[in-house]
Amino acid sequence: MSIFGNLRGLFSSDMAIDLGTANTLIYVKGKGVVLSEPSVVAYHIKEGVKKVLAVGEDAKLMLGRTPGSIEAIRPMREGVIADFDTAEEMIKHFIRKVHKRSTFSKPKIIVCVPHGATPVEKRAIRQSVLSAGARRAGLIAEPIAAAIGAGMPITDPTGNMVVDIGGGTTEVAVLSLGDIVYARSVRVGGDRMDEAIISYLRRQQNLLVGETTAERVKTSIGTARMPDDGRGTSMQIRGRDLLNGVPKEIEVTQAQIAEALAEPVQQICEAVMTALETTPPDLAADIVDRGVMLTGGGALLGDLDLALREQTGLAVSIADESLNCVALGTGKALEFEKQLRHAIDYDS
């Protein structure tokens, strides 16, 4: 059986998956990141039977715009699987898109999971990947993958601090000698920021906007600090007027969005402060020298590094490819599996 398994391995292209709340990225051994699509699945319900209509980019366009018979959902919530069957379909679809070989070959897959994921959540992710056609499924902690992807020397006996801000969670971790010394997973991320913008506009402007609009506002003019001139740039957005129920267009400024995002930004800053307080003194001294590395899509929020610098007094830098950091790190763990064997968990 093992010879047959090894034979299968020769024909397959092993891959690493960053199964994110907002986006799923796939890294193929020897090729790099080959797929990056939203973690969204749209399905048609007919007589109680679900039939998948679209996955990824096509399904995201349907979010908030579907008729009664079609549902577009995100199977991942806060970095873990919320809808098991839909997640499995999504993983299958993405693997098929990347791995076009015959059914004879099954790839070995490494998936990153939030540090705070429970054993049950980890088992659900592993089971989904195996059901989607993997030969073996390994799990790696997200902070380790993010730090490797950002090019941090995590195998050295020095302290490295990484803050990975994803769609559903923010992972704050201190790493040394290739493993986690301290890690904390806070359920605040890009999604929470979108929700903060939606509720702010509802409260202050009596305007109801959808998730897609909120995300566009966040990526266009979102900022973690109040602009120096007290206003900043502005943009036009459309939504539904809650007073008389008709669609309307208003202008929102950077200052308003900074106010809307104050709470999630503060939660991220507090998580970093808590991590610094709990770090052993020698590692804390290393972090003063090296600073803090921001990764993940949330790291791209305007002036977030400055907001963190003001709170902590440390040098804060943003990783070069912050969006792809976790996928690149998981991919490197696949490439250099022998050196990082202790960080990859294959047992269920």
Side-chain angles (χ1 to χ4, degrees), residues 21-23 38-43 54 56-67 70-77 191 194 209-213 215:
T21 309
N23 296 292
S39 307
V40 184
V41 179
Y43 50 79
E57 206 65 67
D58 301 335
K60 191 181 181 183
L61 296 172
M62 299 182 189
L63 270 178
R65 294 188 165 94
T66 55
I70 296 173
E71 204 173 334
I73 65 157
R74 287 172 158 193
M76 306 294 294
R77 270 273 164 250
D191 288 353
D194 294 346
V209 296
E211 279 177 34
T212 316
T213 305
E215 192 182 354

Side-chain angles (χ1 to χ4, degrees), residues 16 33 38 40-41 47 62 76 97 166 188 198 250 271 273 276 307 316:
V33 176
V40 184
V41 179
E47 291 163 7
M62 299 182 189
M76 306 294 294
K97 209 168 180 177
V188 179
I198 292 171
I250 63 161
M273 291 300 285
L276 291 167
V316 179

Side-chain angles (χ1 to χ4, degrees), residues 15 23 94 114 173-174 231 238 241 245 254 262 272 275 290 315 332:
M15 51 183 84
N23 296 292
F94 289 147
V174 177
R231 181 182 155 80
R238 299 182 187 95
D241 188 334
Q254 251 181 330
V272 174
R290 294 166 175 272
K332 278 185 191 160

Side-chain angles (χ1 to χ4, degrees), residues 153-316:
I154 66 158
T155 49
D156 297 356
T158 51
N160 295 278
M161 186 176 210
V162 66
V163 180
D164 177 49
I165 307 163
T169 55
T170 292
E171 308 265 317
V172 182
V174 177
L175 307 151
S176 177
L177 292 167
D179 216 339
I180 294 171
V181 177
Y182 168 89
R184 183 156 178 249
S185 191
V186 203
R187 306 228 158 174
V188 179
D191 288 353
R192 190 64 63 82
M193 291 177 193
D194 294 346
E195 285 166 21
I197 291 171
I198 292 171
S199 65
Y200 176 85
L201 291 170
R202 184 192 287 142
R203 257 192 345 265
Q204 303 290 337
Q205 304 284 337
N206 286 317
L207 187 79
L208 190 62
V209 296
E211 279 177 34
T212 316
T213 305
E215 192 182 354
R216 201 174 71 246
V217 171
K218 178 186 70 184
T219 50
S220 307
I221 62 168
T223 178
R225 303 166 72 237
M226 209 34 101
D228 296 333
D229 63 354
R231 181 182 155 80
T233 54
S234 62
M235 70 182 282
Q236 297 289 332
I237 58 161
R238 299 182 187 95
R240 193 174 83 224
D241 188 334
L242 286 168
L243 294 177
N244 53 21
V246 296
K248 89 168 177 185
E249 184 176 58
I250 63 161
E251 183 185 52
V252 289
T253 65
Q254 251 181 330
Q256 289 173 316
I257 301 308
E259 198 184 319
L261 294 176
E263 195 187 337
V265 167
Q266 188 54 38
Q267 285 175 301
I268 292 168
C269 291
E270 277 167 13
V272 174
M273 291 300 285
T274 310
L276 291 167
E277 284 164 19
T278 3
T279 303
D282 288 344
L283 292 178
D286 294 337
I287 294 167
V288 172
D289 287 346
R290 294 166 175 272
V292 177
M293 180 68 82
L294 293 184
T295 66
L300 302 173
L301 180 72
D303 288 344
L304 183 59
D305 51 339
L306 293 177
L308 275 169
R309 199 171 300 163
E310 283 168 7
Q311 286 255 359
T312 59
L314 297 171
V316 179

Side-chain angles (χ1 to χ4, degrees), residues 7-83:
L7 260 173
R8 271 181 174 179
L10 289 173
F11 293 107
S12 69
S13 41
D14 293 342
M15 51 183 84
I17 302 179
D18 170 13
L19 201 58
T21 309
N23 296 292
T24 296
L25 287 87
I26 294 186
Y27 178 109
V28 172
K29 199 171 183 177
K31 289 184 187 168
V33 176
V34 293
L35 178 136
S36 171
E37 290 210 26
S39 307
V40 184
V41 179
Y43 50 79
H44 186 271
I45 306 164
K46 195 176 180 185
E47 291 163 7
V49 180
K50 288 182 184 178
K51 182 171 180 276
V52 175
L53 277 183
V55 180
E57 206 65 67
D58 301 335
K60 191 181 181 183
L61 296 172
M62 299 182 189
L63 270 178
R65 294 188 165 94
T66 55
S69 58
I70 296 173
E71 204 173 334
I73 65 157
R74 287 172 158 193
M76 306 294 294
R77 270 273 164 250
E78 296 173 340
V80 291
I81 294 177
D83 185 321

Side-chain angles (χ1 to χ4, degrees), residues 56-137:
E57 206 65 67
D58 301 335
K60 191 181 181 183
L61 296 172
M62 299 182 189
L63 270 178
R65 294 188 165 94
T66 55
S69 58
I70 296 173
E71 204 173 334
I73 65 157
R74 287 172 158 193
M76 306 294 294
R77 270 273 164 250
E78 296 173 340
V80 291
I81 294 177
D83 185 321
F84 192 79
D85 297 336
T86 316
E88 202 174 296
E89 283 298 328
M90 181 179 81
I91 298 166
K92 264 185 198 157
H93 175 89
F94 289 147
I95 290 174
R96 228 175 278 131
K97 209 168 180 177
V98 171
H99 189 75
K100 294 187 172 72
R101 300 265 178 82
S102 68
T103 49
F104 174 71
S105 64
K106 286 187 162 194
K108 175 168 70 182
I109 295 176
I110 295 179
V111 188
C112 67
V113 291
H115 176 73
T118 64
V120 173
E121 289 167 336
K122 286 180 183 174
R123 200 176 306 126
I125 289 176
R126 194 193 304 274
Q127 209 47 56
S128 282
V129 172
L130 289 170
S131 309
R135 179 172 88 252
R136 270 186 98 190

